[in-house]
Amino acid sequence: MILMALGTIRAETESFLPISEGQSSFNTSPGGHPFDKYDFRKDLGNQGPPDGERFKGRGFVQLTGRTNYHVHGNAIGLADQLIGNPDLANDPTVAAQLLASFLKSREQGITAALATGDLATARRLVNGGSNGIDRFTDAYNIGKSLVPDSISA
């Protein structure tokens, strides 16, 4: 799971610093307001504008959506502070705690995928797709080559 975390940080932030998601064709319609594609995403718990932009991806894991901000903010002891101030997700300490909480919530699926070497599935469980899979795979495999087999699981 440590390698999963490091690979996720590499794939999501590249710089190993928590960041906010940038606008792209994946989150913003042509001519639409920023992050409008997220506004009504029920799977993210968003309730309409301005939720898309307010709860865009942030931190090491690019935590996205009202529900994730609520669930993982509560899990790390912030109650609803993340709902009131989503930019807290970019504080390095908070970002690290959110990453750990998010990975923990998907640990069973991730560890099963990693046990069979299925890095694409492990990545999809975090990202929902294959974005950053090359950077993730590269970082994961470099780390795995440096960790003795007796502790790599």
Side-chain angles (χ1 to χ4, degrees), residues 52-131:
E53 186 168 14
R54 183 165 177 76
F55 301 110
K56 65 185 175 187
R58 287 184 182 85
F60 290 127
V61 73
Q62 292 299 281
L63 192 71
T64 306
R66 178 183 284 274
T67 295
N68 282 323
Y69 277 71
H70 173 75
V71 168
H72 297 289
N74 277 308
I76 66 169
L78 291 179
D80 280 333
Q81 289 181 60
L82 276 183
I83 298 295
N85 184 4
D87 285 328
L88 282 174
N90 278 336
D91 174 271
T93 300
V94 173
Q97 292 170 334
L98 290 169
L99 172 65
S101 176
F102 193 87
L103 293 179
K104 181 70 175 166
S105 72
R106 289 159 174 75
E107 183 177 21
Q108 186 175 8
I110 291 169
T111 56
L114 294 177
T116 64
D118 188 353
L119 298 183
T121 295
R123 178 76 184 126
R124 193 169 27 263
L125 289 167
V126 173
N127 178 262
S130 61
N131 185 44

Side-chain angles (χ1 to χ4, degrees), residues 20 29 32:
S20 292
S29 301

